[in-house]
Amino acid sequence: MASNVSQEKLLFYAAAGGLGGFAAWGLSEPILGIRWVYGRDILFGALIGALISAFLASIETLSVGQVRQAARRFVLGGVIGAVGGALGLLIGELAFDVLGGLNGRILGWSVLGIAVGLGVGSASGSAARRRNGAIGGVLGGALGGFFYQSLTSISSVPQAVGRAIAIIILGALIGFFIGLVGELLKRGWLMVVRSQSRNAREGREYPLTKGVTIIGRAEESDIGLFGDQSVLGSHAIIRREGKNFIISPTGGRVFVNRQPVAGRYALKSGDRLEVGGTLFLFRERTQAAQR
């Protein structure tokens, strides 16, 4: 795997998706008693899509203590995932007899995967993440659909157990591929070298996927540096302008390669950026691939 792909992040996303799948399975078993097939599938798909998407959309912000952002992302991601999940399983059921069981499952779970990816990306407010999420979601959903049909068709395995394993694998695969596509397509990112913040641990990476990325101590910041009193609520911003990433202070002191930045500065791969007690290394994919 490419050296600039964070394996830790892939594991993180896969685990979050799997947890969402486990929660969805636990809550969805009573739904399967509904006799009306289409109504059952709509509710089943909505619940699975909602929880996998909600977990994936909120886990990153929740892990660093951004509770309000995590709650907002949980709700928004869950709503989009629920709509797509309901649509996906309805399509899958309609296609089941026409395309066959396996192909119908793959189609239905692929639509659900796209919706989950769009929910994760929309919750972050990033167009790039919506694109990456949709691509990763359809790949994970298609592969997850294959496993779902295979596992639930094994007669020697109890149906509830087969469904549990299948839905957990589905969520993990969707999470893994959303993370993988995001890593492979990221253009620029900041990596923490050292930090006095309680959440920005060494080695953590922050992809610069939004048009404007806010660095600060406020919970609403895209790159939150919590607990460091030398960092302002909104300390600096990084704008993506074409192929360039431009950093500007918004009240606090910013240093690039130990030199103070007074206005706008176009970052170059390898630049060392200091914000308060945190030292970042800026990387770009084009240059990173050559190193």
Side-chain angles (χ1 to χ4, degrees):
M1 190 171 291
S3 60
N4 51 7
V5 171
S6 171
Q7 296 183 30
E8 182 182 2
K9 185 169 184 178
L10 300 188
L11 179 61
F12 188 69
Y13 268 75
L19 285 172
F22 178 73
W25 165 75
L27 293 174
S28 65
E29 281 297 301
I31 292 174
L32 299 178
I34 297 175
R35 293 187 176 182
W36 183 42
V37 174
Y38 294 119
R40 179 189 66 206
D41 285 350
I42 288 172
L43 291 174
F44 188 46
L47 189 56
I48 293 173
L51 285 171
I52 293 176
S53 181
F55 269 69
L56 287 170
S58 61
I59 194 66
E60 240 182 299
T61 47
L62 186 61
S63 69
V64 294
Q66 293 175 284
V67 178
R68 285 190 299 240
Q69 275 207 51
R72 181 184 63 81
R73 292 186 180 195
F74 188 94
V75 172
L76 180 57
V79 168
I80 296 174
V83 173
L87 179 63
L89 261 65
L90 179 60
I91 291 173
E93 189 63 49
L94 292 171
F96 196 88
D97 294 329
V98 178
L99 301 177
L102 179 60
N103 292 329
R105 293 292 187 210
I106 290 175
L107 176 61
W109 292 118
S110 295
V111 174
L112 181 145
I114 292 173
V116 168
L118 289 174
V120 174
S122 297
S124 71
S126 166
R129 284 200 169 188
R130 280 194 293 271
R131 176 203 63 201
N132 299 344
I135 296 171
V138 72
L139 293 174
L143 191 55
F146 170 80
F147 278 105
Y148 185 92
Q149 181 65 15
S150 301
L151 288 167
T152 54
S153 299
I154 300 174
S155 58
S156 59
V157 177
Q159 283 289 305
V161 174
R163 276 193 300 272
I165 297 172
I167 295 172
I168 291 169
I169 290 176
L170 172 75
L173 286 171
I174 291 175
F176 174 84
F177 278 101
I178 288 176
L180 179 61
V181 172
E183 286 291 289
L184 292 175
L185 296 184
K186 65 184 181 184
R187 275 269 339 276
W189 64 97
L190 297 179
M191 185 184 76
V192 178
V193 177
R194 56 172 168 76
S195 180
Q196 295 178 9
S197 168
R198 66 173 182 264
N199 60 293
R201 56 179 173 73
E202 181 180 342
R204 181 183 175 93
E205 293 184 354
Y206 294 91
L208 302 173
T209 57
K210 298 176 69 173
V212 177
T213 299
I214 301 172
I215 304 174
R217 202 173 73 232
E219 185 178 336
E220 295 75 19
S221 302
D222 300 299
I223 300 178
L225 301 176
F226 310 128
D228 185 347
Q229 297 303 313
S230 63
V231 177
L232 301 180
S234 176
H235 198 100
I237 58 173
I238 297 178
R239 289 188 174 90
R240 185 170 176 176
E241 300 180 359
K243 296 181 179 180
N244 297 317
F245 293 89
I246 311 296
I247 187 165
S248 305
T250 55
R253 299 188 70 188
V254 175
F255 295 85
V256 175
N257 301 326
R258 298 186 177 180
Q259 299 299 314
V261 176
R264 291 161 47 89
Y265 179 89
L267 293 167
K268 301 179 292 295
S269 190
D271 279 346
R272 297 169 76 84
L273 169 65
E274 292 180 72
V275 177
T278 300
L279 175 63
F280 295 104
L281 177 66
F282 172 71
R283 299 295 300 276
E284 286 184 281
R285 174 158 303 282
T286 51
Q287 287 83 354
Q290 298 169 3
R291 294 186 177 212

